[in-house]
Each structure stands twice: as structure tokens, then as C-alpha cells.
Amino acid sequence: MHLEILNFVLLLGILGAPQQQPGEMQLVLPEDASTAKDERRNHFKLYARQLELYDTYTKDKPAIRLEARKFLQHAIANESGIYFIEEPLVIEYKHLTKMGQAVFDAGSRDPLFRAYYAHTLMDKRWYSTAESNALSAVNKILREGYHPAAEAIARYTLQLVVYRMGSIGNVNKYHPGLLRLVPKYFEWATEEPDMQRPAWSDFIRFTKHARFQHKVSKKMVKAYEEMPGKDPWLMAMLKGWYHLQLERNGIKDVEEPQGAQDDASQLNLAREYLRKAWALHPDYPEAPEMMMHVASLGGDEDSFEIWFQRAVEGQIDYWPAYESMLKYLRPENGGSYEKMVAFGEACARTDRFDTLVPFYFTIATEQIQRGDANFEFLSENVPDFYDKWRYSLLKLAEHPSRTIVSDRQTGRLSRPQRTFYTNILAMALMTRNYDDAEHFWKLIGDEFYEKSFADYDLRKKYHWSEIQASKSLGEPLHEALDLLELPNSIKKTKQVHDVFTKLKNQNTNEEADYFLQSIIDIAQKELDYESGKWVDLEFSPDLAEWRGPANLFKVENKNSVTASNIKKYKYMYLYHKGSFRGPKEITLELEPKKVISHWLYAGIHIGLCANRGQGSSGIAFCADITGDGVFVGGGYSLPEKIPLKRKVTADGNSFDYSNRLHLKAWDNETFELFVNDTKIDLGSTGHGSAIPFDMVGFGSGGWRRYMGEIDYKNFRIRRLTEPRPVNKQQP
């Protein structure tokens, strides 16, 4: 069936016959189109051919080849992207790492083995060892020879390792060697039929983390063009990709005889080649998805919505097309949150629960919550929002393709089920559907999906206690919770303190006390702050008084936490739930324990709002631990060195010192910062806002460049009574 998008006249501006209720969009997906499951299987078939390369080229001793080959079978399955519920060869990385270690100890030094062994080491975050294995694999191939496809895999692994270590310079250094091999990789992949899409998917992975280098890319395109057996579709895609990169990077080039001296010319050339690729294979989604970008810039007569249709006609759940659709429907790109919701609802109404298409209702609404809008926008503008959220996630979890148990033996929930159920639980708590929350909590047991749990700021003890408080207190609790939504003021704080104290005295459920007392404690801290006292912002065992990814913090005692993002790439920020109005004075001690990345910073943050652990707006005052510097705001570096105390251990990674940050903030533009009692000249960053900064927190960045472990101690705050400095240049 041909896909139709109906009623785009009202919502997205393209032609269609309205068949739904006014204001609704409908997606009717083609029943005979391929799905991601089909493509994962195809990709796995391509990767499995690498075993033939090992059999042909390895110099391993015969006695260890069987075990090395067995390891490669599992490792290749894991890295191919196929799901464990679709392929028994996919196993947990902890088992795979042990298997690889045994093969290595037995003496295998085969380059293909070492490349995949490096992948397993990355999962354990043993980056130095992974880098050593990947580099050894590349060097051995250069010395002794191997198939170019294996060299491409080894070079991609090396590039991925240094990227995850945060060494972007080395990513760009190694990238040309990988691009040089792309034509040979394409040639190897297309020796078998129907392997164009897996080959193209690998090319996108090869280029994902590196800076576009147009001269090297130009040589790569030319080299493939000169191959006698080149695939026409891959050739057209490669040229379309090249000219899109030129346009995106603002690079002028005369690649074509007619010349291309501006962005418009590059866009026209990209359009020409991508339309050619689409004509060659209208059953492939990649060219239409890339054409969505061309169309969004006015480079094609067809709109990006029409190109979305064509993409999902090739694969109904081709996620890059859905991601691009949401991107172009965002308000900053000329769309609106209403259009994003309409698209998400249309995805949910497809009822294709054998795919992840209905999940885009969840993704769309999550993106809205992380934007300028908030949860109130959804609850006010999406009728029956929670029911729609629950229905689509429940149907996804209950589909037979996802009910296979995670380890095939113990009867545990599968990972997809844990993911969907945890998302339902989170929204049930946000919408105060406490009966549902309790049901799914018991259904999940201890199998919460950690990412969703952290993204929604869930705390096991705190939120279970909230559920019990609702059962115990009923409507009076709901009315009290409404108080928390009022604008911040001293009157509100006193009222919250009194009302929740009364509720706690009335409560008969002991499990509910923790939730009620946490709210009382937060209000008491606000009152103490208003009275001018120094307030210790303490840490309960589950960080109930804090927002942020609690899974990255270990509570040492009530005054100290250790933050670690060595295994998870997340922002290591915590924000206190209290509101501390007006001029404030903050002190914090920090003690780095382990530094993995090339740049690690940590410090105090004052901001407007935190978005479910994803970061916040505001200003950071941070010590650059590895560089002895300070930066303020959104990364504005200050040249002045600061006297950080340090004692570096023999391995160069572990640190043993404590530093004290002392911040005075009169308003959102006037600050003084002291590091170990040395005043820092903040200069002027031009960062400021007209809205008072009431929220305070601490932490460090969460990208791969900022991996490490840091102890934070004695986070204290009080109302600042010193007069505001006069004629000071401030951030």
C-alpha cells in the first residue's frame, strides 16, 4: 500500500485528503515495506562474511583458531546491530570480554580479532588497553597485509576509541586513513547482492565522529568513481553526501565541470545526485531522508514532508527520517510544538507495534519537554495525554517480538519491556496516576531501565514513598502538591512547610513519611536561608532533595557525594529542589579522584531550571582541573591560572587534593569568585539574564571529554548581605 499522509493541509502544508477528525494527521504505512528488523538481518549477513577474512588471512596458530573464530562470531553479531532477541549469537559484553581475554592470553594477535577485542574493552571503559589493541591491529595490517575491509574495521575501531577518550584531534588525525579504504570496503561489501544499504550504513558510521575533510573526501569519491565495478546507487549517494557536506560546511569547490562556487550550487548538485540515487532505488530510504535536508532549505520543488513519505515507503521505521521530521517541525525551524505533537500522535495511531514507529509519540513529547515548553503544555494541549502515552508504550511492551526474556532462561523482563514500563511509570508519577504507578512499579520489580529512571529524575525510596503517601492521604495530598506549582515566594514556602507538616502528623503509613519529610526539609532550608543562616545542602541516601542523574552519584555521607561518569556519558550536575531567592553566597569543596579525559571541569552552577537531568540554563563557575584554569558561563575561558592544590599519583590519572570554591552572587550579572581564597578576575563574558537565578547546584560536564570521578563536599549557601560592588565588569 502506498503511504499517505492525510490532512497535511491543516498541519504540515502539503496536499492530502482529510479523513480524520479536524486537526488530526494520519500516517498509513505500506504493509509490504521493509522494517529495521529486515535491515539488521541484512547487516548481520554482511558482517558474518568477515569470518571468511579471518579464515583466509589469519596467522594465528591452528590450536587457537577455533576459539578465536568463536569469539569473532559473537563479537561480530554484537557489533552488527542485530538484537539479541533476533540472533542467539548476541551475548552480554561481560561474557564476551572474558572470552576475548582468554583468546588473547592463548596467543592470538590476529588484527581482526584485536579490533573486535578492542570493542569489548570499550564497553568496560578500558580505553587505554582498547586503544593499544586497535593501534596494534592497524600497524600489523600495514606490516603484514590483510584484506582492506578488515583494515577499515580496525581503523574505525581506533577512531572510535580515541573519540570516546575525548581526543578529537586524534579522531581527525586517523580519519583520512579510514576514508582511503571506503572504495575498497564498498567493493568488498557489494560482492554479494543487496548489500548496498549495509555498506552505506557503515560509511555513515565511519564518518560520524570526525570533522569533514573535503580534500580527502574528494579523493575518496574520485577513487570510487574510477572503480570499474562500482555500484551506481552507492556512487550517487557518495556524491550527494559530498556536496551536502560542502554546503553544510560552507566550502567552495569546483568538483564538477560546471563549477560550484556557493552553497546554492552545492545544494543543487546534492539534489541532482540524491534524486538519481532515489530513482535507482525508490525502495531504499537513505536518499529521500537526505533530500529532506535539501528540501528544508528550499533546494527542491518537493517539500521535506513528501520526502519523508518516500523515505518510509522504503523502510517504514527508518529512524533517521523520523528524527529529521521532528527536527524540521520544531519551532526554531518554522514548525511548532503543536505540529510535533500531531506527528507523534499520528505515529502512535499507526498501531505498528511490531516496529518502533508508535514510540515517536513518546520521543516527540519528550523533545517538547526539553525545549522551551514544559509538561504543562502537553497536559493542557494534548487531550488524554497520559492515556495515549500509556497505551502506545504498553502495546509496544506487550508485542510478541519483545516478550522474549532478556537472558532466555530466568523469566526476567526483556530490556525493551523494562524501557517501556519504566517510561509509563515515570509519566504516571508526573500525572499523579498513583494506582498505575504502583502497578508498574511492582511489575518492573528491581528491573528498572536505568536510563529512563535517571532521565525522569526518579528516586526509588522517594517516589515509592510518594505513592504510599497518596494511598494514605488521598485528595488532601493532591491539594498540597498543587502548592508546589505556585510561583516561589516566602509566603509559599511557609505554607508548604505548615501544610506538609500537618499531613505528616495525620499520616498513618510509615512508608509515606520519607516523602513528606523531604518536602518539609526543603522548605525548612529555604526558611533558614531567608533568615540569613548558613544552610548545609545535605545528601540523603537517594538524593531525594536534588534533581539530576542520581545514578551517577554515590552518597558518602550527608555532606559528601562522589560523582562518576566513567561508565555513563551524562552531565554530572545536581540541582537542589529549594528556591534560594536574591543575593547569595555559596561554598563548595571538590576533590578530583580520577581523571580519564583530556579536559575535566567541576564547580558551582546557578540556573533557572533543570530539565530532567539533561542540564539547565544558567551560569557555571568551574575549575578546569586538568588545565589549572577557570571558565564561566557557557564555556567562556578565563586566562588567569588559579592555584589548585594537587598531588598526582604515579599513573598520572589519580588525584588527591581538595579545593574550595567560594561564590558571591548579587544578581544574575554581578559575581565574585574565590578559589582557595584567591580572588579570580572574572572579566566580562556578556552572559546574563533578566530573570533571577534561584536554583543552585554543582557538578561537571557529561560529554566523553569530561570523564572522571570527583568528590563534592560541604555545599553550603546563605543569603548575601554585603553591598553590591560598584563599577565592576561582570559576566
Side-chain angles (χ1 to χ4, degrees):
M1 181 188 301
H2 186 79
L3 178 143
E4 299 172 10
I5 299 186
L6 305 177
N7 209 20
F8 266 15
V9 172
L10 290 175
L11 288 162
L12 297 175
I14 70 172
L15 295 177
Q19 300 291 325
Q20 296 295 107
Q21 297 273 335
E24 284 191 343
M25 179 206 311
Q26 182 183 13
L27 303 183
V28 181
L29 300 177
E31 296 177 1
D32 56 348
S34 68
T35 66
K37 183 177 180 179
D38 300 323
E39 191 52 29
R40 287 193 297 271
R41 176 59 62 182
N42 212 29
H43 212 154
F44 175 63
K45 287 168 62 177
L46 173 64
Y47 270 43
R49 285 170 50 200
Q50 295 172 28
L51 291 170
E52 300 170 10
L53 303 181
Y54 175 79
D55 294 339
T56 303
Y57 290 92
T58 189
K59 295 182 180 179
D60 279 347
K61 294 178 180 179
I64 62 174
R65 291 185 184 182
L66 186 62
E67 287 304 309
R69 200 178 193 279
K70 182 180 178 183
F71 166 81
L72 282 171
Q73 279 184 305
H74 290 293
I76 285 169
N78 276 35
E79 296 305 324
S80 72
I82 198 166
Y83 292 171
F84 70 89
I85 60 177
E86 300 166 359
E87 175 51 56
L89 285 172
V90 177
I91 62 175
E92 292 185 50
Y93 271 101
K94 62 182 180 181
H95 303 311
L96 195 57
T97 305
K98 290 179 181 178
M99 189 184 298
Q101 183 67 56
V103 173
F104 184 85
D105 292 344
S108 177
R109 296 298 182 268
D110 179 82
L112 191 60
F113 160 74
R114 296 192 78 170
Y116 277 101
Y117 183 42
H119 271 280
T120 68
L121 295 170
M122 277 190 283
D123 185 71
K124 296 185 75 69
R125 306 312 192 252
W126 294 347
Y127 292 112
S128 296
T129 310
E131 182 185 22
S132 174
N133 275 274
L135 190 57
S136 295
V138 171
N139 288 335
K140 188 164 186 175
I141 290 173
L142 294 176
R143 289 194 311 269
E144 302 178 11
Y146 217 98
H147 194 281
E151 184 182 350
I153 292 161
R155 286 186 177 275
Y156 168 68
T157 303
L158 178 60
Q159 181 177 291
L160 185 61
V161 172
V162 295
Y163 169 75
R164 291 189 176 178
M165 293 174 73
S167 181
I168 303 303
N170 278 336
V171 172
N172 296 321
K173 171 186 171 183
Y174 293 135
H175 192 55
L178 178 56
L179 289 184
R180 174 179 56 83
L181 294 163
V182 167
K184 287 290 185 182
Y185 189 83
F186 281 175
E187 182 181 50
W188 169 75
T190 54
E191 287 173 359
E192 297 289 334
D194 302 323
M195 288 296 154
Q196 296 97 328
R197 289 192 63 198
W200 183 255
S201 175
D202 282 343
F203 170 70
I204 295 301
R205 287 204 306 161
F206 292 168
T207 59
K208 183 177 181 180
H209 302 305
R211 174 176 52 84
F212 175 67
Q213 301 178 40
H214 87 276
K215 291 183 179 179
V216 178
S217 300
K218 183 176 180 179
K219 290 180 181 179
M220 172 194 66
V221 174
K222 186 175 181 181
Y224 190 58
E225 189 173 24
E226 292 173 352
M227 276 189 168
K230 62 182 176 291
D231 178 80
W233 182 82
L234 284 172
M235 185 73 260
M237 289 293 292
L238 203 57
K239 284 192 171 184
W241 170 87
Y242 173 72
H243 288 293
L244 267 189
Q245 295 302 316
L246 293 178
E247 181 273 327
R248 284 170 169 165
N249 289 276
I251 298 173
K252 297 179 180 179
D253 198 1
V254 287
E255 167 67 15
E256 297 299 309
Q258 67 267 38
Q261 293 298 320
D262 54 35
D263 291 350
S265 300
Q266 299 297 352
L267 204 62
N268 287 335
L269 288 169
R271 171 188 178 278
E272 175 186 338
Y273 290 116
L274 292 174
R275 271 190 166 271
K276 180 178 180 181
W278 175 61
L280 287 167
H281 273 290
D283 54 332
Y284 289 0
E286 287 81 2
E289 189 278 326
M290 292 171 70
M291 277 298 298
M292 291 177 72
H293 174 73
V294 176
S296 72
L297 297 176
D300 191 72
E301 61 268 25
D302 293 335
S303 67
F304 71 83
E305 297 93 344
I306 291 177
W307 283 109
F308 170 79
Q309 289 186 70
R310 292 166 179 165
V312 296
E313 284 171 356
Q315 180 183 311
I316 64 173
D317 54 351
Y318 186 59
W319 73 262
Y322 289 85
E323 291 291 325
S324 294
M325 191 70 166
L326 286 175
K327 173 184 174 182
Y328 301 131
L329 291 178
R330 292 189 65 81
E332 58 267 31
N333 294 321
S336 67
Y337 290 133
E338 287 81 4
K339 290 181 180 180
M340 293 176 68
V341 168
F343 178 69
E345 289 185 306
C347 291
R349 283 196 300 270
T350 63
D351 285 347
R352 285 300 302 264
F353 296 109
D354 57 320
T355 73
L356 289 179
V357 171
F359 192 54
Y360 275 89
F361 175 69
T362 303
I363 293 174
T365 53
E366 282 184 334
Q367 289 187 12
I368 290 170
Q369 291 179 73
R370 294 189 180 114
D372 295 331
N374 52 30
F375 174 71
E376 284 68 31
F377 171 86
L378 295 171
S379 60
E380 293 171 4
N381 292 276
V382 182
D384 304 317
F385 169 68
Y386 173 71
D387 292 338
K388 292 174 180 177
W389 176 284
R390 183 188 191 278
Y391 174 81
S392 61
L393 289 171
L394 189 61
K395 286 291 187 179
L396 285 165
E398 292 177 345
H399 192 272
S401 66
R402 299 183 185 92
T403 56
I404 300 175
V405 295
S406 58
D407 61 0
R408 301 186 177 89
Q409 294 178 3
T410 64
R412 295 164 53 199
L413 295 172
S414 68
R415 178 173 172 176
Q417 288 177 306
R418 290 186 287 123
T419 302
F420 299 136
Y421 289 150
T422 305
N423 276 274
I424 296 174
L425 167 64
M427 193 54 66
L429 287 167
M430 291 178 68
T431 55
R432 301 183 194 170
N433 284 281
Y434 290 114
D435 289 342
D436 246 15
E438 183 174 34
H439 168 75
F440 284 101
W441 195 298
K442 291 179 177 179
L443 181 63
I444 298 166
D446 291 328
E447 297 290 316
F448 294 103
Y449 181 48
E450 186 180 273
K451 182 181 183 299
S452 295
F453 211 78
D455 284 351
Y456 282 93
D457 262 343
L458 299 183
R459 307 285 191 265
K460 287 187 178 179
K461 185 176 181 180
Y462 176 83
H463 284 103
W464 178 254
S465 179
E466 180 182 358
I467 293 170
Q468 300 310 307
S470 175
K471 291 173 64 177
S472 173
L473 298 167
E475 187 59 31
L477 176 68
H478 290 229
E479 293 174 359
L481 291 173
D482 289 338
L483 290 175
L484 301 179
E485 307 300 324
L486 297 176
N488 292 320
S489 67
I490 187 65
K491 179 181 178 180
K492 168 196 167 181
T493 301
K494 291 178 179 178
Q495 190 175 5
V496 166
H497 184 278
D498 294 344
V499 168
F500 277 87
T501 299
K502 181 179 179 180
L503 287 175
K504 186 171 182 289
N505 292 333
Q506 295 172 352
N507 174 53
T508 58
N509 185 336
E510 187 176 339
E511 287 186 292
D513 282 345
Y514 184 73
F515 171 73
L516 300 169
Q517 188 62 51
S518 295
I519 295 177
I520 295 168
D521 290 345
I522 293 168
Q524 186 61 56
K525 288 179 173 61
E526 292 183 7
L527 294 173
D528 289 344
Y529 167 82
E530 293 289 349
S531 70
K533 297 178 182 177
W534 272 109
V535 178
D536 293 307
L537 301 183
E538 297 173 341
F539 309 107
S540 61
D542 72 338
L543 297 170
E545 296 182 22
W546 298 82
R547 296 185 179 93
N551 58 320
L552 301 183
F553 289 83
K554 177 185 177 184
V555 178
E556 306 293 346
N557 55 59
K558 67 178 184 179
N559 293 314
S560 176
V561 292
T562 298
S564 173
N565 69 343
I566 291 175
K567 292 190 176 182
K568 303 290 181 184
Y569 309 130
K570 281 282 190 178
Y571 286 92
M572 294 191 295
Y573 275 112
L574 287 179
Y575 302 87
H576 198 269
K577 291 180 181 178
S579 177
F580 302 98
R581 297 168 287 275
K584 56 186 65 70
E585 187 173 6
I586 304 169
T587 62
L588 170 69
E589 295 175 29
L590 55 91
E591 184 176 346
K593 290 299 187 183
K594 194 172 185 65
V595 176
I596 300 297
S597 58
H598 295 266
W599 182 36
L600 183 68
Y601 67 83
I604 298 168
H605 196 107
I606 56 177
L608 300 174
C609 61
N611 299 318
R612 298 211 317 264
Q614 302 300 311
S616 84
S617 55
I619 305 180
F621 297 84
C622 293
D624 177 0
I625 293 164
T626 52
D628 291 352
V630 166
F631 77 81
V632 177
Y636 297 96
S637 296
L638 300 177
E640 181 175 350
K641 299 297 181 183
I642 60 175
L644 291 177
K645 304 170 187 175
R646 69 174 57 229
K647 177 184 176 183
V648 185
T649 57
D651 64 8
N653 277 339
S654 298
F655 292 69
D656 183 16
Y657 61 90
S658 183
N659 289 276
R660 183 172 183 266
L661 301 184
H662 182 185
L663 176 68
K664 297 179 179 180
W666 282 267
D667 53 38
N668 58 4
E669 296 182 345
T670 310
F671 306 94
E672 286 184 354
L673 178 65
F674 300 81
V675 179
N676 297 329
D677 299 320
T678 298
K679 187 174 181 180
I680 305 301
D681 182 7
L682 295 180
S684 178
T685 67
H687 187 103
S689 170
I691 305 175
F693 287 359
D694 295 347
M695 179 173 285
V696 298
F698 63 90
S700 69
W703 193 57
R704 292 168 176 85
R705 292 174 64 184
Y706 312 136
M707 290 188 296
E709 272 185 6
I710 302 173
D711 281 357
Y712 294 96
K713 304 175 183 178
N714 302 321
F715 191 54
R716 309 181 75 210
I717 186 171
R718 73 171 175 181
R719 178 174 283 280
L720 184 60
T721 57
E722 294 179 25
R724 173 176 171 166
V726 181
N727 297 326
K728 300 290 289 184
Q729 230 185 359
Q730 299 294 341

